[in-house]
Amino acid sequence: MMKTFALFLLLALFFSSSLAFDPFKLHFIDHYKRPSGHYNYIVRGNLPLGLFHETFAWHLVKDTLISVAEEHKIPFDHHFQMVDVCLLQPEKPSNLQYIEIEKEYFEYERPDHGRFVLWPTRGSSHPPSDYTPEQIEVMVKNFTAVSKDDIPWRMAQFDAMLHEDTTNGSQVIYFHCEAGRDRTGETAGAYYMKVLGQTFTHAMATNMHIAGDRHISTHNGYAMQWYCYYLQHVEGRQGLRCDEKYPVSLPAGLGPQEE
């Protein structure tokens, strides 16, 4: 009995520390019914590779999409193509390895399953709290000066992908980093504010809920906050509470908006 329990613990530790695809990190963010009747979906998750990183974990990802959609009563078309939006950084050797595996899958092994897109995500090294409101208003008008991630452009791309009506079936836009928390949290948080109308604080609460009750990394949090200011000063959005100093203090009971 003790040997069996010890083996179970070892296996649990192995899987929990692995960067393989984790079904519990897959979350639907948005979906749209196209004029054709097919649906497009925006989904966040973690590294979508098999346990030993041998290839893209297509069947496991697909089964998880079906299961999560059913759980949340989201209409889901089992016949779909995927836009694999990878947020990894090619200058990191381990990231480059994962990028090449994903790229090879969609470009050579199964191009019928969709396409691969690389958006290296690095956050921002500039804390917005270091600047005056007047400086912030000027700085966000040239967003790539505060964050190389160019979040405004990425949100426009998401909108175009979500409303794309060119595939024969549905389309899943699956974006991810490694753990599905920091770089993914920055990108998802921007979408929560831009499209779903969440405040900066609420978007952080949603990210914390998904990340296991911890803040996303500092640099990714800065980038997300800069984008909040962009929405405020460039797009004229009000009530986003961008002035919260990062990490924000989350009000008790403030949870995520579920699909």
Side-chain angles (χ1 to χ4, degrees):
M1 178 66 74
M2 289 299 294
K3 287 184 177 179
T4 303
F5 181 68
L7 179 60
F8 174 80
L9 283 178
L10 286 172
L11 288 172
L13 285 170
F14 176 75
F15 279 95
S16 65
S17 63
S18 169
L19 286 173
F21 174 70
D22 182 349
F24 293 103
K25 291 182 178 177
L26 187 148
H27 297 265
F28 281 80
I29 291 180
D30 204 356
H31 65 274
Y32 167 75
K33 186 176 182 180
R34 290 155 32 189
S36 63
H38 295 296
Y39 283 85
N40 290 348
Y41 312 87
I42 295 182
V43 180
R44 66 178 287 174
N46 78 315
L47 190 70
L49 301 185
L51 183 59
F52 301 105
H53 302 154
E54 68 285 358
T55 189
F56 192 96
W58 177 265
H59 294 293
L60 181 54
V61 174
K62 180 178 179 179
D63 289 346
T64 304
L65 286 164
I66 294 169
S67 176
V68 173
E70 183 178 323
E71 180 186 351
H72 292 283
K73 296 180 171 54
I74 299 169
F76 189 75
D77 187 346
H78 295 194
H79 303 286
F80 63 87
Q81 289 190 319
M82 179 176 288
V83 182
D84 174 22
V85 181
C86 178
L87 307 178
L88 301 181
Q89 296 159 254
E91 66 271 18
K92 295 183 176 182
S94 61
N95 280 201
L96 181 59
Q97 175 192 357
Y98 303 147
I99 289 167
E100 292 300 328
I101 293 170
E102 292 180 56
K103 185 177 179 182
E104 182 176 336
Y105 181 83
F106 285 101
E107 293 189 359
Y108 301 104
E109 295 177 26
R110 296 302 302 264
D112 57 311
H113 280 177
R115 66 184 191 268
F116 174 80
V117 176
L118 181 63
W119 290 354
T121 301
R122 302 175 177 89
S124 173
S125 58
H126 307 288
S129 58
D130 284 355
Y131 301 91
T132 66
E134 293 76 20
Q135 289 173 320
I136 289 172
E137 185 173 356
V138 172
M139 292 168 72
V140 293
K141 292 177 182 177
N142 179 20
F143 194 83
T144 54
V146 295
S147 172
K148 299 298 182 185
D149 296 343
D150 200 355
I151 299 174
W153 178 85
R154 293 182 180 188
M155 293 302 107
Q157 293 300 302
F158 271 152
D159 182 71
M161 291 177 191
L162 184 65
H163 295 91
E164 202 169 56
D165 200 16
T166 57
T167 59
N168 292 326
S170 293
Q171 179 165 269
V172 173
I173 301 107
Y174 180 86
F175 68 95
H176 70 90
C177 52
E178 287 180 277
R181 294 182 298 201
D182 298 319
R183 290 165 285 190
T184 301
E186 172 192 323
T187 306
Y191 196 92
Y192 298 148
M193 294 185 292
K194 165 73 175 177
V195 180
L196 302 187
Q198 293 187 10
T199 64
F200 178 59
T201 306
H202 198 163
M204 277 296 184
T206 304
N207 275 329
M208 282 187 69
H209 173 79
I210 292 172
D213 292 326
R214 77 159 179 81
H215 285 290
I216 66 175
S217 74
T218 303
H219 285 187
N220 297 115
Y222 290 160
M224 188 175 148
Q225 190 170 23
W226 279 115
Y227 184 63
C228 185
Y229 283 119
Y230 174 90
L231 291 173
Q232 178 180 314
H233 294 298
V234 178
E235 297 194 2
R237 295 279 295 276
Q238 301 299 317
L240 291 173
R241 298 176 63 184
C242 305
D243 293 327
E244 293 275 3
K245 187 173 181 180
Y246 182 78
V248 294
S249 176
L250 300 174
L254 181 61
Q257 286 180 341
E258 296 290 351
E259 179 72 40

